[in-house]
Amino acid sequence: MSPSELVRLHRGLLAGTALLGLASIATGGLAGSAAAAGLVAPALTGVSDFFMAMTGHGLGIFLKRCRDHGRVLRNEDIARAAGRTVAQALTERVSPQYPAIRKHLDRFGTKIEGYWVQWAEEQTALNLFETVQEERLYEIFSQEPERFGEYPVLAEPEWREVITWLFQKGCEKKVLPDTVESYQDAIAALTAELATNFSKYLRQVLKDDANNGGRAFVGMLFDLHGATLAKIDEIQEYLPQLATREDVCRALQQLETGVRDELVQIRELLQQYLEPNQARLPIPQDCEAIIEEKTQDFVGRRFVFEAIQDFLRDSPKGYFFIEADPGVGKSAIMARLVQLFKGGCLTHFNIQSQGIVTPEKFLRNICTQLIQSFQLNDGRLPEQATEDGNVLGHLLAEAAKTLGPGKKLVVVVDALDEVDSSGQTKGSNLLYLPDALPNQVYFIMSKRPQSLRLPSSDYLVSFDLMQYPAESAKDARRYAEKRYGRSPQIQGWVTARQLTSEQFLTNLVARSENNFMYLRYVLNDIEKGLYESESLESLPLGLRSYYQKHWDLMGMLADPFPVDKVRTIYVLALVREAVSRRLLAELTELAEYQLRPILREWEQFLRLQSVAGDTRYTIYHASFSDFLREEAEESGVNLEDIKRRIADNFSKGAPL
């Protein structure tokens, strides 16, 4: 059995054990905090030493030490982490829904950790808590993030009993001024949130604890080590077959755990600018999915965040624009920035595929967030807020007055190039952005390198991502390595062509021209078997070449010419909102049964949305939409009738 196969066989436990995935933790702050607590064995000073301790007679001794230390910590420290998890769900997701009692709920949130620890110490208050034992928690934590939904911990009725017990405690202690019956709506909302997302919140709490050198994560780490070593003990018969200990280390290091955030220092610097009294808001619902998607395999880009940090530090106010070609990672950077602020910035993502492209939607979103975050205007959105930039300017000024010395109000806005400004007042700035910002107010925005009507300001910085090819190449390589390391299909494709991983990765990154979208698409295609007949040399060169190759692979140059496909793709590329299959049939003059195989064939480039039970379709990315529109118009197919039908549909205000 090869090292990679051995690792992959027990990936869940191994990926969850931070030292096995990220050797740097062992020599960083986490190891230091563990050593200070008297918990680190000499074997934990590095990955190589760790494996040395795994072999021979040292295995049983080290295993026992890990288990013993984990047991000591688990009772209180990890119980506190579980309590903080419940409190975080309450204050971040639930209490903002109840402004009339929000202060009481937030105060109650500060007490939940103590109530949870009280249960951990007594273990008599509620038998139901036995199903949330800490042994269960580290099993959840060892799983891949996308599998967290498989570990709900408690069913919703049981969570309701748990939350009711906690609220009863709050009422008994007079932290909540009314009886528990008065909080049934909040109890129901918190129950639903925890039943779905407890594991996700727990993982974030433990990550924060790790980055702060806390004991809870150290305890979790030793539990994971104990479970991991026990598993390796069971398969020790395979160990002599491994070529070298370095082979094992190399295979394990391919498992990116994400436990130690490489941007922790940047995050801490950014958060020092946030007003502590400002209400932390959850990510807007229409942005949450895209942020999670864009950051799923995020790596690096530290140089961009450092430039943003310098701008916030050195400028009294202003606009910071990140410019780059399609696919270079602008949206991923903006999504990661929102995560680094942890609810402390205002957020708006222009998303063409969801029809979120108008100034009205931007103004409604940001003005609402300003009102909620800074408790302005009695919690009400003025009726004229979406007409122009006057209300936005007024709310920014009012919010700025509440900021303490050195604090910042930061607004993150993605994809200015996707904005539909056709309905704006002539001569106005894009999205009605103000020329003059109040002091301590900053907009961080992204756009393609194209001319847009931007504010006239002395405090405007344009950061051209294309001027950093060396840094981008390094991050692109890390992204490709990460995808390669976890994919048996990609590894098999490389092996079948008698290539080394170094040859494949070096060539692929060069062909990508440092374009992350290219890497994502090509690696996805290799995993799905679409390139089984291709060699390394025949892979497309650059994103546009990739689009052209996919156009060919989808049979768009076939004989007879696929007129129906061209007409369907043209409609999807031309409209700026998701469309139903019914409307596609009407605009293309095709029957719905004729559309089904076309849509299925192009599914990897389509975003599917469910609206009132009806599936709607749109092109995944604006750059591909532009390419498809151009190809369709140059195909020779008469598309004028489609343009006319689309115009008629919009002029009538017909539903999509």
Side-chain angles (χ1 to χ4, degrees):
M1 180 179 292
S2 71
S4 294
E5 290 169 341
L6 178 64
V7 169
R8 200 172 300 115
L9 181 64
H10 301 290
R11 180 187 178 92
L13 282 174
L14 294 174
T17 306
L19 284 182
L20 301 184
L22 298 174
S24 60
I25 300 181
T27 56
L30 179 58
S33 65
L39 300 170
V40 174
L44 283 183
T45 56
V47 171
S48 295
D49 291 338
F50 175 75
F51 274 95
M52 192 175 298
M54 281 183 2
T55 59
H57 298 294
L59 176 62
I61 297 172
F62 187 69
L63 173 58
K64 182 178 184 302
R65 188 176 301 171
C66 284
R67 286 172 173 164
D68 289 346
H69 284 310
R71 187 71 58 185
V72 169
L73 280 176
R74 193 185 313 148
N75 284 344
E76 179 173 343
D77 294 279
I78 298 179
R80 287 189 179 279
R84 286 200 300 275
T85 298
V86 176
Q88 183 172 315
L90 174 67
T91 57
E92 289 188 4
R93 284 293 189 183
V94 176
S95 67
Q97 302 175 33
Y98 302 94
I101 58 171
R102 180 171 182 172
K103 291 182 179 179
H104 299 309
L105 292 176
D106 287 347
R107 181 166 176 258
F108 172 54
T110 66
K111 305 294 183 180
I112 287 178
E113 181 180 325
Y115 299 154
W116 196 285
V117 172
Q118 178 186 340
W119 158 76
E121 293 173 347
E122 298 175 356
Q123 296 193 11
T124 58
L126 188 65
N127 291 334
L128 188 59
F129 274 104
E130 294 175 1
T131 59
V132 200
Q133 292 283 352
E134 282 71 37
E135 289 91 340
R136 179 71 168 142
L137 302 186
Y138 77 77
E139 289 176 10
I140 296 167
F141 189 63
S142 72
Q143 305 305 317
E144 295 293 317
E146 59 267 25
R147 296 189 60 197
F148 284 174
E150 300 174 21
Y151 297 85
V153 183
L154 292 177
E156 190 160 330
E158 295 170 325
W159 266 121
R160 187 177 184 95
E161 188 174 345
V162 171
I163 299 309
T164 300
W165 180 84
L166 289 171
F167 270 74
Q168 286 172 341
K169 280 290 180 183
C171 293
E172 290 172 10
K173 301 293 185 180
K174 305 301 182 183
V175 176
L176 294 171
D178 297 317
T179 63
V180 71
E181 287 74 22
S182 304
Y183 301 101
Q184 291 304 308
D185 288 346
I187 289 172
L190 183 56
T191 295
E193 186 67 23
L194 290 170
T196 305
N197 294 317
F198 177 82
S199 301
K200 182 175 73 173
Y201 282 117
L202 174 66
R203 187 172 190 269
Q204 185 59 51
V205 166
L206 288 169
K207 285 173 65 177
D208 292 344
D209 186 80
N211 291 328
N212 293 324
R215 290 169 57 91
F217 183 80
V218 175
M220 184 71 74
L221 178 62
F222 276 102
D223 287 339
L224 286 168
H225 273 312
T228 300
L229 290 173
K231 181 59 65 179
I232 293 178
D233 190 27
E234 294 172 13
I235 59 173
Q236 193 174 9
E237 64 197 76
Y238 291 113
L239 291 176
Q241 301 176 25
L242 304 182
T244 65
R245 192 168 63 249
E246 287 70 27
D247 288 338
V248 181
C249 293
R250 189 176 303 111
L252 290 171
Q253 287 169 347
Q254 293 173 354
L255 297 178
E256 185 79 66
T257 67
V259 171
R260 180 72 170 181
D261 188 348
E262 63 177 325
L263 295 173
V264 61
Q265 186 179 15
I266 296 291
R267 187 187 68 198
E268 291 172 354
L269 289 171
L270 292 176
Q271 292 199 23
Q272 73 179 346
Y273 296 134
L274 300 179
E275 177 61 58
N277 296 325
Q278 174 190 346
R280 300 297 180 92
L281 299 178
I283 296 171
Q285 189 172 5
D286 53 15
C287 299
E288 189 172 17
I290 196 167
I291 287 176
E292 184 174 345
E293 176 185 295
K294 293 292 185 181
T295 56
Q296 184 177 4
D297 293 303
F298 191 91
V299 295
R301 321 311 273 164
R302 184 182 182 91
F303 66 100
V304 183
F305 296 115
E306 287 177 342
I308 293 172
Q309 153 64 18
D310 291 344
F311 172 70
L312 294 174
R313 181 193 63 214
D314 299 335
S315 298
K317 56 185 173 181
Y319 293 94
F320 186 96
F321 293 97
I322 298 174
E323 286 193 359
D325 292 342
V328 177
K330 300 184 297 297
S331 292
I333 290 169
M334 303 299 278
R336 190 71 183 100
L337 181 62
V338 172
Q339 291 179 335
L340 292 174
F341 273 113
K342 294 182 67 176
C345 66
L346 310 185
T347 305
H348 182 79
F349 277 63
N350 293 291
I351 310 170
Q352 180 174 309
S353 61
Q354 296 181 25
I356 305 174
V357 292
T358 64
E360 291 77 15
K361 291 184 178 180
F362 162 77
L363 292 169
R364 180 178 299 280
N365 187 5
I366 295 301
C367 289
T368 300
Q369 290 181 57
L370 277 167
I371 290 169
Q372 293 177 352
S373 187
F374 292 91
Q375 291 87 49
L376 303 175
N377 208 50
D378 296 326
R380 294 178 292 102
L381 181 71
E383 293 183 3
Q384 67 274 27
T386 62
E387 295 177 1
D388 52 39
N390 287 330
V391 171
L392 173 63
H394 172 72
L395 292 174
L396 288 172
E398 290 300 307
K401 293 177 183 178
T402 70
L403 298 173
K407 301 306 180 183
K408 320 281 185 181
L409 190 169
V410 179
V411 185
V412 176
V413 184
D414 184 48
L416 294 181
D417 47 90
E418 295 190 22
V419 172
D420 179 6
S421 59
S422 59
Q424 282 195 212
T425 304
K426 186 177 181 181
S428 59
N429 292 336
L430 190 71
L431 296 177
Y432 295 110
L433 295 169
D435 287 327
L437 291 173
N439 284 337
Q440 300 171 265
V441 174
Y442 303 80
F443 279 74
I444 315 296
M445 317 182 91
S446 71
K447 60 185 282 291
R448 293 192 201 179
Q450 64 189 63
S451 178
L452 298 172
R453 190 169 181 84
L454 302 179
S456 300
S457 172
D458 293 333
Y459 301 99
L460 190 152
V461 172
S462 181
F463 185 88
D464 187 353
L465 198 55
M466 308 308 293
Q467 297 302 311
Y468 296 84
E471 292 86 349
S472 293
K474 180 180 178 181
D475 290 339
R477 170 65 182 243
R478 290 179 60 197
Y479 173 85
E481 286 175 343
K482 188 175 182 179
R483 291 288 308 275
Y484 174 84
R486 72 167 190 236
S487 174
Q489 294 86 357
I490 297 174
Q491 294 170 19
W493 190 91
V494 171
T495 301
R497 285 150 184 80
Q498 299 182 324
L499 299 168
T500 66
S501 60
E502 178 64 28
Q503 289 172 325
F504 171 70
L505 292 168
T506 300
N507 191 290
L508 181 69
V509 172
R511 288 179 172 276
S512 77
E513 299 174 347
N514 304 335
N515 192 290
F516 287 83
M517 187 175 297
Y518 171 98
L519 291 172
R520 174 184 175 177
Y521 283 159
V522 169
L523 290 170
N524 284 350
D525 286 349
I526 292 175
E527 281 189 318
K528 294 175 181 178
L530 295 181
Y531 284 167
E532 281 306 305
S533 61
E534 303 288 338
S535 66
L536 181 61
E537 292 74 21
S538 68
L539 293 179
L541 182 61
L543 184 62
R544 188 168 184 86
S545 177
Y546 170 80
Y547 287 158
Q548 185 64 60
K549 191 174 190 70
H550 199 84
W551 181 263
D552 297 346
L553 286 173
M554 292 297 101
M556 304 304 285
L557 300 179
D559 186 14
F561 194 70
V563 175
D564 292 349
K565 284 186 181 181
V566 171
R567 293 171 69 84
T568 303
I569 295 303
Y570 185 63
V571 171
L572 291 170
L574 200 61
V575 298
R576 297 183 66 86
E577 296 186 39
V579 296
S580 64
R581 199 158 55 210
R582 176 200 57 76
L583 182 58
L584 272 176
E586 179 182 326
L587 296 176
T588 58
E589 295 188 321
L590 297 173
E592 288 195 38
Y593 76 86
Q594 293 174 293
L595 288 171
R596 289 193 188 97
I598 298 174
L599 294 171
R600 193 178 304 119
E601 193 173 11
W602 282 85
E603 191 172 36
Q604 99 173 82
F605 291 106
L606 301 178
R607 188 185 296 275
L608 278 60
Q609 296 174 239
S610 180
V611 179
D614 187 25
T615 300
R616 297 187 180 183
Y617 304 83
T618 189
I619 302 296
Y620 176 79
H621 198 273
S623 66
F624 192 44
S625 181
D626 293 343
F627 168 83
L628 293 174
R629 186 183 67 252
E630 294 168 9
E631 289 295 310
E633 289 173 347
E634 294 174 4
S635 66
V637 176
N638 186 353
L639 303 170
E640 292 303 317
D641 57 331
I642 289 180
K643 290 182 183 179
R644 185 174 60 256
R645 279 193 290 274
I646 291 175
D648 290 344
N649 184 78
F650 282 120
S651 66
K652 295 174 183 176
L656 297 174

